[in-house]
Amino acid sequence: MPEIEFITSSVADPAAAVKVELVEEGALRSPLASLEGASLEDFAAAGLGFNAKAATTLLIPLAGSAPVIAVGMAAGTEDADELRKVGAAVARAAKGFESASIVIPSYLENLGPMSLRYLTEGIVLASYGFDKYHTDPEALASASKLARVTYVVTAPEAIGATEEIARGVAVAGATCLARDLVNEPASAMTPTVFAARAAELVSAHPELSIEVWDEARIQAERLGGLMGVARGSTQPPRMVKLTYTPKAPVEKTVALVGKGITFDSGGLSLKPADGMTTMKTDMGGAAAVLASMLALPGLEVPVKVIGFMMLTENMPGGSATKPGDVLVTRAGKTIEVLNTDAEGRLVLADGLALATEESPDYIVDIATLTGACVVALGREIAGVFTNSQELVTDLGFAGDVAGEQLWQLPLPDRYRKHIRSEVADMKNMGEAGQAGAIAGAMLLAQFVGNIPWAHLDIAGPSRSSSADGYLPVGGTGFGARLLCYFLEEFGD
Ligand code: BES
Ligand code: MN
Ligand code: ZN
């Protein structure tokens, strides 16, 4: 996780290794503070091709003083994600320097401390790298060196700036933790390791408590869905329950449920080789739940949150569940497993049953559930399904602010027939070639009763194939920020 210190000051950091100026598009002629009255035009910026378009950068070396980086931004932009991308552009351009002093334009300062929060998030998110397994010095040398950022503003003591920057660091840190958990190879991030890591991280926060169920407990608690998936693996499953109890008294409780398939081979309905290469990502939902909940104490979220992480491998061992087998879930409902690769809904059925037993006000599950959702919405937008429109409105708003977009797909009663089974209460797949993401959500809906619930299908955005803006290659940590912003909203 990038460790960067953020400071607000009314004067530029004289020791900064690089000075950063945010230039509104079309403002190349205005003098830049760091260039002592000169404008970018005086430095032949036009000749260098710099036009200050959003998130473009120009490094200007200066004789005898720290270089200046000009970073373009859309004129007057107030959009959270645009500002996050400006922050990312700063971080990428300044990654070779240990410290940067950033002049904040007055319009941004006047927008209030949230603008500094979004910039901060972009800087932290874009400074992330997963270098644990690199030994090549060249690869390691490309890691960000940025350790100190000074925001130069006219009123550094302005109410809330420090707090909002700290919140930005907290939610971006949550995203980076989720990325780390996803990027770790599956054989190094087994259910046992995930649960132990959760326990270790939780121990630093008195507001959080953890309960870890091992195989025997999972069996005793009749989590038939989770056991049915775990049977094919030599790695034992785990169910991790986290509880966040804020210091202040609360009115509401939110339950989160995360899909934590630490590796999805497909089971006996084995995936083809190409489809399996990225399946260490299949615990991205559980990673988002753990990471967001660890940020709640720092964000002082005023709502009780209970998180359930359903952790197992999906492997085709000799004891594996076979197509045609019937599982009896925690809720007592039975599921005919016709495709062992549709395993996420089996473990979530138990997770949603556990969540429902707590009678929370809301349930949100998050899962890399279906390839069909990737087909429908692509790699940058997650699907959302619900029995409560109000909840989706709130989640959608949180997603927009977090830069993690949701798009609602329907959950029509008429498609209940898609998961009708001849031998059990339901089957674990829909009709071939039809509405696969809906079929998955439809099964989940059978386990939440009347509690307002939303299901986030993050199969698409959970990983990225190229570094773009504040996104790295590999795990994106999608969902961690969205859940933080969603839960923060309960304070207002
Ligand atoms: N983990 C996969 C979904 C997935 C696919 C995530 C691509 C990320 C990228 C899930 O367990 C799965 O295999 N789903 C099947 C369901 C089908 C067998 C009904 C799918 O989508 O093909
Ligand atoms: Mn699968
Ligand atoms: Zn899966």
Side-chain angles (χ1 to χ4, degrees):
M1 214 173 302
E3 290 294 338
I4 305 172
E5 182 192 3
F6 291 89
I7 300 154
T8 50
S9 167
S10 57
V11 289
D13 173 8
V18 67
K19 291 177 179 151
V20 178
E21 299 257 355
L22 305 182
V23 184
E24 289 182 73
E25 193 182 350
L28 289 181
R29 277 171 196 279
S30 10
L32 298 184
S34 326
L35 299 181
E36 287 167 0
S39 79
L40 271 174
E41 277 206 335
D42 298 322
F43 281 76
L48 295 170
F50 182 73
N51 52 17
K53 281 216 184 303
T56 57
T57 58
L58 175 71
L59 177 78
I60 307 165
L62 295 180
S65 71
V68 173
I69 297 173
V71 178
M73 59 193 296
T77 188
E78 302 181 8
D79 180 77
D81 216 39
E82 288 294 322
L83 292 172
R84 212 173 268 118
K85 284 173 187 160
V86 170
V90 170
R92 292 196 193 280
K95 71 176 195 161
F97 303 92
E98 269 178 27
S99 54
S101 188
I102 308 177
V103 182
I104 301 299
S106 55
Y107 98 85
L108 258 192
E109 186 175 344
N110 294 338
L111 278 182
M114 287 306 278
S115 59
L116 292 182
R117 170 174 178 168
Y118 302 138
L119 283 176
T120 302
E121 289 181 22
I123 291 171
V124 174
L125 291 168
S127 301
Y128 174 87
F130 185 71
D131 293 322
K132 189 171 167 190
Y133 295 99
H134 278 301
T135 62
D136 177 3
E138 225 170 278
L140 291 170
S142 74
S144 176
K145 295 176 186 59
L146 198 57
R148 188 159 44 93
V149 170
T150 304
Y151 293 121
V152 185
V153 293
T154 53
E157 68 291 344
I159 307 153
T162 313
E163 286 81 357
E164 286 306 338
I165 291 169
R167 287 165 182 269
V169 171
V171 299
T175 301
C176 292
L177 171 63
R179 290 173 179 175
D180 273 346
L181 294 167
V182 165
N183 286 333
E184 195 64 49
S187 293
M189 187 49 67
T190 60
T192 317
V193 172
F194 187 109
R197 183 100 182 89
E200 176 193 327
L201 291 165
V202 159
S203 66
H205 302 281
E207 299 93 333
L208 287 166
S209 65
I210 184 168
E211 203 179 297
V212 178
W213 290 1
D214 65 6
E215 216 176 358
R217 182 77 189 270
I218 287 167
Q219 186 108 28
E221 299 282 355
R222 304 179 320 282
L223 304 191
L226 181 58
M227 284 189 301
V229 177
R231 271 170 55 181
S233 173
T234 54
Q235 289 294 332
R238 291 287 184 267
M239 195 295 294
V240 174
K241 178 185 179 187
L242 281 188
T243 306
Y244 165 75
T245 315
K247 291 199 181 99
V250 295
E251 285 167 27
K252 294 235 157 91
T253 300
V254 178
L256 305 176
V257 182
K259 171 176 172 179
I261 305 296
T262 58
F263 186 71
D264 183 10
S265 73
L268 284 174
S269 311
L270 198 66
K271 285 182 184 294
D274 279 353
M276 222 188 277
T277 54
T278 56
M279 280 302 137
K280 66 176 182 179
T281 311
D282 216 19
M283 33 60 76
V289 171
L290 173 59
S292 61
M293 286 190 69
L294 285 162
L296 301 183
L299 297 170
E300 295 177 315
V301 163
V303 64
K304 181 172 176 180
V305 183
I306 310 174
F308 297 92
M309 282 144 275
M310 312 306 287
L311 304 162
T312 178
E313 291 187 337
N314 184 26
M315 296 289 281
S319 310
T321 291
K322 305 165 189 77
D325 283 357
V326 173
L327 303 177
V328 183
T329 63
R330 165 83 174 185
K333 295 186 192 225
T334 56
I335 308 177
E336 182 187 12
V337 180
L338 287 178
N339 189 320
T340 63
D341 197 11
E343 83 297 339
R345 61 201 76 182
L346 303 176
V347 306
L348 289 175
D350 286 336
L352 291 168
L354 290 171
T356 303
E357 289 168 24
E358 306 277 344
S359 304
D361 297 283
Y362 304 98
I363 300 176
V364 179
D365 79 70
I366 176 161
T368 48
L369 203 72
T370 66
C373 201
V374 190
V375 173
L377 299 175
R379 295 226 158 262
E380 294 178 56
I381 300 171
V384 58
F385 302 80
T386 196
N387 60 8
S388 159
Q389 208 50 42
E390 191 200 346
L391 180 56
V392 163
T393 304
D394 292 349
L395 284 165
F397 178 74
D400 287 346
V401 179
E404 298 182 325
Q405 201 189 335
L406 301 179
W407 192 260
Q408 189 175 7
L409 294 171
L411 199 51
D413 283 341
R414 64 199 305 160
Y415 283 0
R416 171 67 180 82
K417 61 178 179 274
H418 284 203
I419 58 167
R420 196 170 289 156
S421 160
E422 299 295 329
V423 301
D425 295 337
M426 63 199 92
K427 60 184 168 83
N428 79 330
M429 53 181 302
E431 299 294 310
Q434 291 181 51
I438 297 176
M442 185 62 72
L443 186 143
L444 302 182
Q446 312 306 310
F447 293 88
V448 295
N450 293 322
I451 298 175
W453 152 80
H455 155 60
L456 311 180
D457 191 333
I458 61 165
S462 62
R463 60 183 303 119
S464 163
S465 54
S466 59
D468 181 21
Y470 53 76
L471 290 185
V473 187
T476 58
F478 190 99
R481 251 181 2 267
L482 185 154
L483 291 174
C484 286
Y485 273 98
F486 168 68
L487 293 166
E488 267 188 80
E489 277 306 305
F490 282 87
D492 302 329

